[in-house]
Amino acid sequence: MKTTISQGSKTLPKITFDPDQCELRIEGWSFSEKPQTIFDPVLKLIDEFISETNKGISMHVSLQCFNTASGKCLMNIAQVIGNQQGNNTIYWHFDAEDEETREWGEDISHATGIPFQFVSLSSSN
Amino acid sequence: MTSFSKSVWFYALFGACFGALFPILALFMTIREQDMTWSLQNIKLLHQNNSLFFIIDSAPLVLGAVFAVIGVFTKNQIEYLATLSELERNLRDNYYNASHKFTLRKLRITYVSLFFVVGTMIVGGLFLVMNNCYHDTNKLNLFREVQSMYGILGDSSVDAPEQMQHEYKRISSLYNLNAYPEIKTELDLLYAQSLEATSFTGVDYNAALANMSAFHVDFYKQHKENQMFVSVSCGVLVLVIISLLVFTHFYFFAPNFLLLQKAIIENTAARHLIQKQANELQLAKDENDEILKQLRLNLSTAEHIRDVLKVYKKPLPEIFGEVFHIDKPMQTLSGDYIWYNERSKDVKTMILGDCVGHGVAGTLLSTLYEEFIEQIEPLGLSPDAFIVELDDRIKSHLSHLDGLDQFTCEVGVVVLDKSKKKAWFSGSNTDLIVVNGKCETYKSQRFSIGSYKNQERPFCYEIDLHAGDWLVMYSDGYKNLINNQHQRMGITNAHNLLLQCKSDSGEQYQVQLENEINSFLSGAKSYDDMTIVGIKIPE
């Protein structure tokens, strides 16, 4: 059953986790100055889920806008997923014209050493 | 005349008009039956002969009054309906059942009204039928004929007997005399008398009148008895109708009124509760306003203290020449800051920092960072080494705290050498933009001072400068501005504005850039502190 970790607001992203599909979705905007309060539970959840089930996880990040602090938190989540064994995949969704968001994805992928699947609104690569 | 009385008068008039049909119909039927002509005299005569007409005549008054009462009820119903509709709107959930019951009662009222209209018509019809049943107009007419026969008896002319015989035959042909033996006897006696006499001279007229008077008394006695029966029956019927009215009111209307009154009382109670809650909200608002006032006062005090804590520095233009600095805190005080220093006549340092947090929290952290920057600057380090040193000192200082990642800061450090026309830059999540004909971006590393996770090592750029170039740094609050249409500024737009507003004058550059930013925001509030600083490379 799908679990909503964060409902989402003007400054917070919507975060849902579907254990049946092994799918984590992060969508919307993230402007909190303390994004750890919302992303730390996600970290804990992923860590527990993977260690208990030994299943791979798919994370879909589809943030239209986020601040640096949120970018750091995403990097930490990607790091945790990357450190786990199993078939884990991170999908980085971005607007085809939003180069900055794509660059953020590339930077996180580079920093964590985890290959991302980049998905633009118009095409996939 | 108010709308209320208009409504009641309308009903009363309708009832009176309806009631007027009864005497009109009664007169019409009677006059037609008796072959009489329409005249006031005949109408008066009918009333004199049949007192039931007076009761029938009262129908307009009675029905007018009854309909007026119905009008009052209906008016009240309409008003209560309007009230209930208002209640239904305001308290739809609470009064759903009441509304349902009220609909049922509306149906009942309709049926009851219909019952009274039909009932009144039936009762009126019964009056007429009973009148015709018990009021034998033939007998009355015969009585009048007998009276006229007695009148001939008083005529002493020789034609009188013949006239009486003629009248007798006429009466015999018109009426079934066998049905009225007592009248037939009287007429036969008179007729026999006319056959025997050549004239009525010498007839004992007084005895005849006495005889007629006795007949008259006898006839009216019976007639009055019949009328008495009709009157009593009508009285009983009226009583039954009034009883039905009273019963209907108490059985159908009264509970309905009680229900409405209950709803109104509950509505009033709900209004009082709402008013009470509104008062409580107002009190809470007043308290919040007071708290807000205190917070603003505290912010103002904190701002003053922050200014006192800052080391005095010459104004920016005195050190850098043409320069602009846009500082837009989200909450009076900002976690963003700029720090600058003049290492020598030609070598100057400019640092833009963006600490986690806004308001007092942000400014306290920025003050801490500025203190460490003050300590590191005399070491004359390159920008990348400066950032690493700052990171080390902060971590060392805050090592006793859990969650060090909560006190991070992004900085951009530029060391500018005017004589060599060179600049050295290193940034932690803060880029340097050189604005000339385009925006050349010197990308910073993914590095947050005070953080342990996923850090890229800062890198130092050596940049050749040209006269007229602008070195610009900004906190992420600038590119993350969001307007009322939920559009984000983004790097592309942010750099376009830097190009578009570029001017040789720092002051003009700042004014144009601020205008463009305000135009983009269209009054939308910021989600982050925003700082932009620009330095022009002189000739």
Side-chain angles (χ1 to χ4, degrees):
Chain A
M1 192 176 68
K2 191 188 267 188
T3 308
T4 302
I5 300 162
S6 165
Q7 292 284 358
S9 68
K10 281 184 177 177
T11 56
L12 296 174
K14 181 182 179 184
I15 305 176
T16 54
F17 181 62
D18 186 344
D20 299 330
Q21 302 292 323
C22 303
E23 191 175 273
L24 175 74
R25 284 192 171 273
I26 302 172
E27 302 162 297
W29 295 2
S30 184
F31 278 110
S32 171
E33 276 298 302
K34 287 190 175 179
Q36 298 90 340
T37 54
I38 199 161
F39 285 113
D40 280 355
V42 179
L43 275 173
K44 192 180 170 193
L45 182 79
I46 293 168
D47 198 30
E48 286 175 358
F49 177 79
I50 296 176
S51 57
E52 284 173 12
T53 62
N54 284 325
K55 286 181 180 175
I57 198 167
S58 301
M59 179 169 84
H60 291 261
V61 180
S62 184
L63 288 172
Q64 294 162 290
C65 187
F66 56 92
N67 59 7
T68 310
S70 300
K72 290 281 292 178
C73 287
L74 289 171
M75 196 178 278
N76 295 339
I77 292 173
Q79 187 77 65
V80 168
I81 290 175
N83 289 341
Q84 302 286 343
Q85 291 187 341
N87 186 21
N88 301 304
T89 317
I90 297 174
Y91 295 91
W92 189 266
H93 300 255
F94 63 99
D95 190 293
E97 295 177 0
D98 189 357
E99 196 177 326
E100 188 188 351
T101 304
R102 185 181 56 78
E103 278 182 8
W104 253 107
E106 288 172 353
D107 287 347
I108 295 173
S109 177
H110 175 71
T112 57
I114 304 161
F116 281 14
Q117 299 293 317
F118 288 95
V119 184
S120 79
L121 281 179
S122 54
S123 60
S124 308
N125 54 356
Chain B
M1 190 184 287
T2 63
S3 60
F4 172 79
S5 58
K6 268 182 186 174
S7 169
V8 174
W9 275 110
F10 174 77
Y11 271 85
L13 191 63
F14 177 79
C17 289
F18 182 62
L21 289 174
F22 290 85
I24 290 167
L25 278 172
L27 282 170
F28 176 77
M29 289 171 70
T30 310
I31 285 173
R32 192 163 171 269
E33 281 170 3
Q34 297 185 14
D35 281 334
M36 294 172 77
T37 54
W38 280 95
S39 68
L40 282 173
Q41 199 174 358
N42 282 344
I43 292 168
K44 189 180 172 186
L45 186 64
L46 287 174
H47 279 76
Q48 283 171 348
N49 291 334
N50 190 351
S51 57
L52 187 61
F53 272 104
F54 289 107
I55 294 172
I56 296 171
D57 286 345
S58 69
L61 282 174
V62 173
L63 286 177
V66 168
F67 272 81
V69 172
I70 291 172
V72 171
F73 283 162
T74 309
K75 176 71 182 169
N76 287 339
Q77 285 296 311
I78 290 167
E79 285 178 355
Y80 281 121
L81 268 175
T83 309
L84 193 65
S85 297
E86 178 71 19
L87 288 173
E88 281 176 328
R89 278 196 292 278
N90 293 340
L91 305 164
R92 186 169 45 196
D93 293 339
N94 291 348
Y95 294 109
Y96 174 77
N97 290 332
S99 172
H100 180 64
K101 287 177 184 172
F102 189 74
T103 307
L104 289 176
R105 275 164 175 75
K106 275 197 290 186
L107 278 173
R108 283 184 191 171
I109 289 163
T110 308
Y111 288 137
V112 168
S113 304
L114 198 63
F115 168 78
F116 274 110
V117 171
V118 175
T120 310
M121 291 174 76
I122 291 169
V123 169
L126 276 174
F127 279 162
L128 284 172
V129 170
M130 287 171 72
N131 180 39
N132 281 319
C133 285
Y134 290 94
H135 181 67
D136 192 337
T137 49
N138 281 339
K139 195 174 181 180
L140 187 65
N141 289 337
L142 265 175
F143 174 73
R144 288 201 195 102
E145 298 286 6
V146 173
Q147 279 183 317
S148 65
M149 292 276 273
Y150 272 105
I152 295 169
L153 201 62
D155 187 352
S156 57
S157 68
V158 289
D159 297 333
E162 190 180 347
Q163 189 185 346
M164 186 174 280
Q165 290 161 26
H166 177 74
E167 280 296 302
Y168 179 81
K169 288 171 186 171
R170 183 183 64 80
I171 292 166
S172 300
S173 65
L174 278 176
Y175 301 94
N176 178 18
L177 293 176
N178 293 326
Y180 311 102
E182 73 277 20
I183 297 176
K184 187 176 183 297
T185 307
E186 285 291 325
L187 285 171
D188 286 345
L189 280 172
L190 286 169
Y191 181 64
Q193 212 169 348
S194 70
L195 290 174
E196 290 170 2
T198 52
S199 77
F200 293 133
T201 309
V203 171
D204 189 351
Y205 186 66
N206 288 332
L209 282 179
N211 192 29
M212 186 189 77
S213 179
F215 178 71
H216 177 100
V217 168
D218 182 53
F219 177 83
Y220 266 96
K221 187 183 173 189
Q222 190 182 1
H223 184 69
K224 288 288 177 190
E225 281 172 359
N226 290 341
Q227 284 198 334
M228 182 64 75
F229 176 75
V230 172
S231 300
V232 170
S233 303
C234 290
V236 170
L237 272 171
V238 168
L239 281 174
V240 168
I241 291 169
I242 291 170
S243 303
L244 274 171
L245 267 172
V246 172
F247 169 77
T248 307
H249 171 75
F250 281 102
Y251 186 77
F252 292 105
F253 289 79
N256 203 28
F257 291 154
L258 288 174
L259 182 72
L260 286 165
Q261 281 170 355
K262 187 186 167 199
I264 289 165
I265 288 165
E266 286 177 2
N267 184 33
T268 308
R271 282 183 184 170
H272 285 160
L273 186 65
I274 290 165
Q275 184 60 46
K276 189 183 167 192
Q277 288 174 343
N279 291 340
E280 286 173 0
L281 279 173
Q282 184 60 43
L283 277 173
K285 184 181 175 295
D286 291 345
E287 282 178 19
N288 283 339
D289 287 347
E290 183 60 30
I291 290 167
L292 194 63
K293 191 177 162 188
Q294 290 297 326
L295 280 173
R296 283 181 178 147
L297 190 65
N298 288 342
L299 272 174
S300 174
T301 309
E303 189 178 15
H304 183 63
I305 291 169
R306 183 200 63 184
D307 292 341
V308 168
L309 287 173
K310 276 182 182 284
V311 176
Y312 172 76
K313 292 184 185 301
K314 288 181 189 173
L316 268 173
E318 282 188 28
I319 296 177
F320 292 99
E322 288 297 334
V323 66
F324 71 84
H325 175 214
I326 297 172
D327 179 24
K328 285 193 181 297
M330 189 177 136
Q331 301 169 347
T332 310
L333 291 170
S334 173
D336 291 358
Y337 61 92
I338 58 165
W339 185 95
Y340 52 91
N341 185 43
E342 197 169 21
R343 288 188 179 181
S344 65
K345 186 186 171 192
D346 292 324
V347 180
K348 284 126 189 180
T349 308
M350 167 62 78
I351 296 173
L352 182 141
D354 177 4
C355 292
V356 161
H358 311 293
V360 175
T363 209
L364 277 173
L365 194 59
S366 69
T367 306
L368 177 68
Y369 271 92
E370 284 183 70
E371 177 60 28
F372 280 115
I373 289 169
E374 285 284 351
Q375 293 171 15
I376 295 167
E377 172 64 2
L379 301 177
L381 299 174
S382 63
D384 55 331
F386 195 113
I387 289 173
V388 172
E389 181 64 23
L390 183 59
D391 183 50
D392 287 345
R393 292 199 182 200
I394 283 290
K395 281 176 178 169
S396 170
H397 186 76
L398 302 177
S399 59
H400 61 289
L401 297 175
D402 291 332
L404 192 62
D405 271 3
Q406 293 181 26
F407 305 106
T408 57
C409 182
E410 329 287 352
V411 296
V413 181
V414 177
V415 176
L416 180 65
D417 189 330
K418 279 186 183 178
S419 61
K420 294 179 182 172
K421 288 278 189 293
K422 277 189 179 294
W424 292 265
F425 165 75
S426 183
S428 73
N429 292 321
T430 306
D431 300 340
L432 174 72
I433 317 298
V434 178
V435 183
N436 34 50
K438 55 188 178 179
C439 280
E440 287 177 20
T441 304
Y442 292 87
K443 206 166 171 349
S444 59
Q445 275 64 59
R446 300 297 180 201
F447 181 93
S448 289
I449 297 172
S451 175
Y452 286 95
K453 296 175 185 172
N454 300 309
Q455 299 278 58
E456 288 182 327
R457 184 165 182 81
F459 174 80
C460 185
Y461 294 94
E462 185 176 318
I463 305 162
D464 290 321
L465 301 172
H466 302 92
D469 287 353
W470 281 89
L471 302 183
V472 179
M473 289 189 291
Y474 54 80
S475 61
D476 62 354
Y478 174 45
K479 65 181 182 185
N480 287 336
L481 284 173
I482 292 169
N483 65 14
N484 280 332
Q485 286 77 46
H486 286 241
Q487 293 167 327
R488 179 173 167 259
M489 172 70 83
I491 283 185
T492 308
N493 286 334
H495 288 188
N496 284 342
L497 286 188
L498 290 177
L499 274 174
Q500 186 183 320
C501 301
K502 182 173 175 284
S503 168
D504 287 337
S505 157
E507 193 176 341
Q508 200 174 348
Y509 201 160
Q510 178 166 337
V511 169
Q512 288 176 355
L513 193 54
E514 281 179 329
N515 287 342
E516 288 297 328
I517 289 169
N518 290 335
S519 171
F520 171 79
L521 282 174
S522 310
K525 70 161 198 165
S526 300
Y527 291 105
D528 199 358
D529 301 324
M530 181 187 78
T531 300
I532 311 172
V533 64
I535 303 164
K536 187 185 173 190
I537 306 303
E539 297 295 336

